[in-house]
Amino acid sequence: MKAYVYGPNGAAISDVAQPTPKGTQVLVHVRACALNRADTGMRKGHAHGASGGVGTVLGMEWAGEVAALGSDAKGVKVGDRIMGSGAAAFAEYTLADHGRLFRAPSNMNFEEAATLPVALATMHNAVVTVGGVQPGQSVLIQGASSGVGLMAMQIAKLKGAKVVIGSSTDAHRRSRLTDYGADLAIDSSDPGWVDQVLKATGGEGVDLVVDQVSGKVASQNLAATRVKGRIVNVGRLGGTHADFNFDLHAARRINYIGVTFRTRTIEEIREIFEEVRKDIWSAVEARKLQLPIDKVFAFGDIDEAFAHMEANKHLGKIVVTL
């Protein structure tokens, strides 16, 4: 089968053996897959958790049909339309754990379905399960113009957040954030953004920050969070090291939590997917939670898709079809 593989000379479409499902695995005939920021690093040979390096089939998000089942796989049958996340998505066939997939709603095509699994699982966990958002609270999403950021704002609104604030350093993308749930859009490179957040929250700060930027905004986030508020750190878009105001952290008694899928067990990931199904799946099926598709590429043009992502001018998801 054809797959996009990182090799000694970089990433390229290659012929590899079709995988065989075992145990709780499902063999997926991939029809569409979506690009994620972590894919850009792995395409250059960087590791993402335990994955990466020469011989790695790249990609982590897909939609398609069940082609075969492992002996212990449950919940789906051959021919079912599904979407999910996991390694080796950029291929004609991939394997997925039976607990790490969703049924693709009948009112979505494969391109649309491929945009959702990572964003739904990541941001339901960050905003609801870990972040504990409650009706009437205020939420700041740092890095809100990314696909997962757009989803985070929508989930916060769905769960009753009164004030949702999203950040983007790009003026055009910032102007679009209100279309996806933001009541206020800020530029986190503007030194005055903390004052804007405080003004929007009556001087108190937000109840919850979901931070995909980190780096230079880490201490500013503390100043923008209310006493006994929460910061959930989900990403590294702005850098992995920065000054941190420990005194402000203590004074505001902020609960600062780090989350990532890279160190989660399959049991933990299954639980996250189940929480999405139980809590917000009706909103997914009603298309109240969805992401814009910026551009669709054919699989043979996947290098162009990555060039488009690395240009960093897109809003929403970049999709590749097979």
Side-chain angles (χ1 to χ4, degrees):
M1 68 172 188
K2 299 293 184 182
Y4 192 57
V5 182
Y6 179 75
N9 299 314
I13 295 175
S14 306
D15 287 308
V16 301
Q18 181 177 309
T20 301
K22 299 177 182 178
T24 60
Q25 292 176 328
V26 173
L27 180 67
V28 183
H29 187 184
V30 177
R31 299 296 189 178
C33 40
L35 273 61
N36 288 276
R37 285 290 176 188
D39 297 322
T40 62
M42 294 181 70
R43 181 173 175 262
K44 297 171 182 176
H46 302 159
H48 184 70
S51 300
V54 173
T56 300
V57 177
L58 303 176
M60 59 181 60
E61 183 173 35
W62 47 263
E65 299 153 329
V66 177
L69 300 172
S71 58
D72 299 318
K74 295 178 174 61
V76 292
K77 64 182 186 300
V78 173
D80 283 350
R81 299 171 73 254
I82 56 174
M83 59 197 202
S85 68
F90 299 153
E92 292 180 297
Y93 290 87
T94 191
L95 296 175
D97 182 81
H98 66 179
R100 195 172 181 169
L101 52 83
F102 303 116
R103 290 184 178 276
S106 59
N107 58 357
M108 288 184 191
N109 60 36
F110 287 122
E111 291 90 342
E112 293 167 325
T115 68
L116 295 176
V118 167
L120 287 170
T122 300
M123 285 308 180
H124 182 268
N125 180 256
V127 174
V128 180
T129 305
V130 178
V133 68
Q134 297 295 319
Q137 290 189 336
S138 52
V139 180
L140 166 62
I141 309 299
Q142 289 280 23
S145 63
S146 66
V148 285
L150 296 173
M151 182 58 70
M153 293 190 298
Q154 294 176 72
I155 290 174
K157 273 296 184 184
L158 181 70
K159 302 304 288 186
K162 183 178 180 180
V163 177
V164 173
I165 303 169
S167 82
S168 175
T169 58
D170 181 272
H172 172 68
R173 287 182 291 203
R174 193 164 59 251
S175 71
R176 296 286 309 279
L177 297 185
T178 54
D179 297 337
Y180 298 93
D183 299 295
L184 171 66
I186 61 168
D187 179 356
S188 61
S189 66
D190 180 348
W193 75 261
V194 173
D195 291 334
Q196 296 174 44
V197 172
L198 294 175
K199 182 179 179 181
T201 56
E204 293 187 346
V206 293
D207 296 281
L208 170 66
V209 177
V210 176
D211 181 19
Q212 299 185 91
V213 177
S214 304
K216 65 181 182 179
V217 303
S219 289
Q220 291 174 305
N221 283 341
L222 298 173
T225 305
R226 68 180 299 150
V227 173
K228 298 176 70 175
R230 303 170 305 284
I231 299 175
V232 179
N233 179 15
V234 299
R236 303 177 297 169
L237 297 181
T240 57
H241 297 83
D243 290 333
F244 188 87
N245 191 330
F246 291 97
D247 186 59
L248 184 56
H249 178 223
R252 297 184 79 80
R253 291 177 281 162
I254 291 169
N255 192 2
Y256 193 102
I257 311 158
V259 297
T260 179
F261 274 75
R262 285 169 286 161
T263 54
R264 284 183 167 128
T265 65
I266 188 59
E267 290 78 15
E268 290 173 317
I269 294 172
R270 288 170 181 166
E271 183 177 353
I272 289 168
F273 272 66
E274 183 58 26
E275 287 300 318
V276 171
R277 294 186 199 97
K278 290 192 299 186
D279 189 39
I280 60 172
W281 198 250
S282 61
V284 176
E285 293 180 322
R287 300 182 71 92
K288 293 179 180 178
L289 298 174
Q290 55 185 319
L291 292 175
I293 295 177
D294 184 85
K295 196 167 183 179
V296 178
F297 293 83
F299 187 57
D301 298 325
I302 192 168
D303 286 324
E304 293 178 31
F306 273 100
H308 186 61
M309 171 169 269
E310 290 168 356
N312 203 30
K313 298 296 182 184
H314 63 288
L315 179 78
K317 301 290 283 190
I318 298 168
V319 175
V320 172
T321 57
L322 290 91

